[in-house]
């Protein structure tokens, strides 16, 4: 378990493609545990998904992909676009941040983009005594070419310890565009957080300001220490179970086999209600929200002598 992050090879994508629009702040997942965040843009939209792609002669055959639809004419102060990955406090508390025994972190990843330039890859870490942040950069020197990057972050001896709970421990962001509200300050050593540090050192906005621009990511490994080691491959089964702690998607088999796939047994609770127990594959991080995707001819549940149909149900925590 050297690799702290989940789904680094982008094997699992339970949601499919997600379209993001420019109205306010929008979030969408591509590969499980990796999402795009769009903030305050007036024109920008795009899609995040996973595709069959990866560096030549490597072990990676799947990648997260962002593609810009409508481009933003210019990046205003409050505009931003980034890709992020989150790790629970209890999965990184052993880093001992906030103490004199704090550990360094190293990340290695493969990236490809149609836009060359300097990009930010930063860590944000919420703490009980005040959040912390550190900024790093990497460069994409050749358009549409896979490049491997390695970054090492200092140990954070300041602030309070990481939460030893299911609360957010650290947040890794790959900046794709940022106005001064998000990148107006920078620090390559740990500092107390303010919004201007979040995407500090982001040097190019071209992914957001260029229609059909693309940005790809795969082979992400975050580990303790100052040295990047060989990517730790885990089975698809293992990665899926780790992802299902945060999102579980149950889909009907009707379109494939002609039979329905049962979610749960239930019993009438009253003339208008029923009660049933959904069995999760793994314990979810927290009490999930439930989403039903409606489509005719797939799942059925019966209530008051009538039936309604839906083709999938998902739980997110």
């Amino acid at each position: 378990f050297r690799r702290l992050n989940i789904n680094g090879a982008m094997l699992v994508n339970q949601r499919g493609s997600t379209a993001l629009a420019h109205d306010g702040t929008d979030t969408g997942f591509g590969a499980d545990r990796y999402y795009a965040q769009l903030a305050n843009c007036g024109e920008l939209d795009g899609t995040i998904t996973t595709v069959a792609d990866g560096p030549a002669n490597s072990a990676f055959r799947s990648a997260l992909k962002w593609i810009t639809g409508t481009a933003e004419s210019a990046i205003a102060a409050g505009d931003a676009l980034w890709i992020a990955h989150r790790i629970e406090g209890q999965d990184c508390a052993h880093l001992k941040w906030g103490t004199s025994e704090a550990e360094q972190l190293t990340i290695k990843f493969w990236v490809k983009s149609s836009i060359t330039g300097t990009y930010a890859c930063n860590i944000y870490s919420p703490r009980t005594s005040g959040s912390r942040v550190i900024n790093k950069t990497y460069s994409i020197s050749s358009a549409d070419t896979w490049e491997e990057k390695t970054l090492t972050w200092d140990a954070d001896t300041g602030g309070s310890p990481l939460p030893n709970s299911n609360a957010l421990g650290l947040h890794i962001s790959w900046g794709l565009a940022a106005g001064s509200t998000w990148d107006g300050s920078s620090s390559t050593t740990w500092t107390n957080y303010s919004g201007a540090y979040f995407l500090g050192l982001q040097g190019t906005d071209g992914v957001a300001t260029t229609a059909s621009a693309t940005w790809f990511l795969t082979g992400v490994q975050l580990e303790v220490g100052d040295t990047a080691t060989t990517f730790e491959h885990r089975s698809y089964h293992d990665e899926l179970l780790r992802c299902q702690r945060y999102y579980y998607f149950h889909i009907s088999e009707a379109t494939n086999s002609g039979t329905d796939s049962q979610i749960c047994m239930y019993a009438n609770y009253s003339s208008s209600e029923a009660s049933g127990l959904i069995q999760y594959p793994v314990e979810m991080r927290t009490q999930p929200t439930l989403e039903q995707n409606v489509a005719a001819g797939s799942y059925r549940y019966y209530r008051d002598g009538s039936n309604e149909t839906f083709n999938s149900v998902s739980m997110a925590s």
Side-chain angles (χ1 to χ4, degrees), residues 270-286:
S270 69
S271 60
S272 61
E273 296 177 290
S275 178
L277 179 67
I278 294 176
Q279 298 287 346
Y280 304 114
V282 297
E283 179 181 335
M284 299 194 79
R285 184 189 67 87
T286 188

Side-chain angles (χ1 to χ4, degrees), residues 68-86:
T68 299
T70 303
E72 193 76 0
S73 299
I75 300 299
D79 297 348
L81 172 63
W82 66 89
I83 308 296
H85 179 78
R86 293 185 170 193

Side-chain angles (χ1 to χ4, degrees), residues 13-93:
N13 180 12
Q14 297 184 80
R15 295 169 177 82
S17 299
T18 305
L20 280 76
H22 57 77
D23 47 350
T25 300
D26 201 1
T27 301
F29 282 84
D32 276 44
R33 306 303 301 144
Y34 296 83
Y35 65 91
Q37 182 87 47
L38 190 159
N40 303 318
C41 296
E43 302 158 282
L44 178 65
D45 59 43
T47 302
I48 184 171
T49 188
T50 57
V51 294
D53 199 347
N57 302 317
S58 77
F60 306 111
R61 294 293 178 267
S62 185
L64 177 146
K65 178 183 180 181
W66 165 269
I67 182 167
T68 299
T70 303
E72 193 76 0
S73 299
I75 300 299
D79 297 348
L81 172 63
W82 66 89
I83 308 296
H85 179 78
R86 293 185 170 193
I87 298 178
E88 284 183 50
Q90 57 199 358
D91 289 333
C92 56

Side-chain angles (χ1 to χ4, degrees), residues 77 135 178-186 194-202:
N135 305 137
S180 59
T181 299
W182 303 92
D183 70 353
S185 301
S186 64
S194 71
Y197 284 101
F198 186 71
L199 295 175
L201 300 176
Q202 175 67 21

Side-chain angles (χ1 to χ4, degrees), residues 161-246:
L162 288 162
N164 189 21
S165 68
N166 64 356
L168 176 62
L170 65 87
H171 174 289
I172 306 167
S173 58
W174 288 265
L176 301 186
S180 59
T181 299
W182 303 92
D183 70 353
S185 301
S186 64
S187 178
T188 56
T189 59
W190 284 98
T191 190
N192 293 330
Y193 174 79
S194 71
Y197 284 101
F198 186 71
L199 295 175
L201 300 176
Q202 175 67 21
T204 180
D205 298 324
V207 171
T209 58
T210 307
S212 300
T214 56
W215 186 91
F216 298 78
L217 179 70
T218 194
V220 180
Q221 176 151 299
L222 182 72
E223 57 190 307
V224 179
D226 61 0
T227 303
T229 64
T230 303
F231 185 84
E232 180 183 54
H233 287 275
R234 296 193 281 251
S235 69
Y236 178 85
H237 171 78
D238 190 19
E239 295 284 15
L240 176 61
L241 290 177
R242 291 169 185 261
C243 292
Q244 286 174 334
R245 176 167 171 78
Y246 306 93

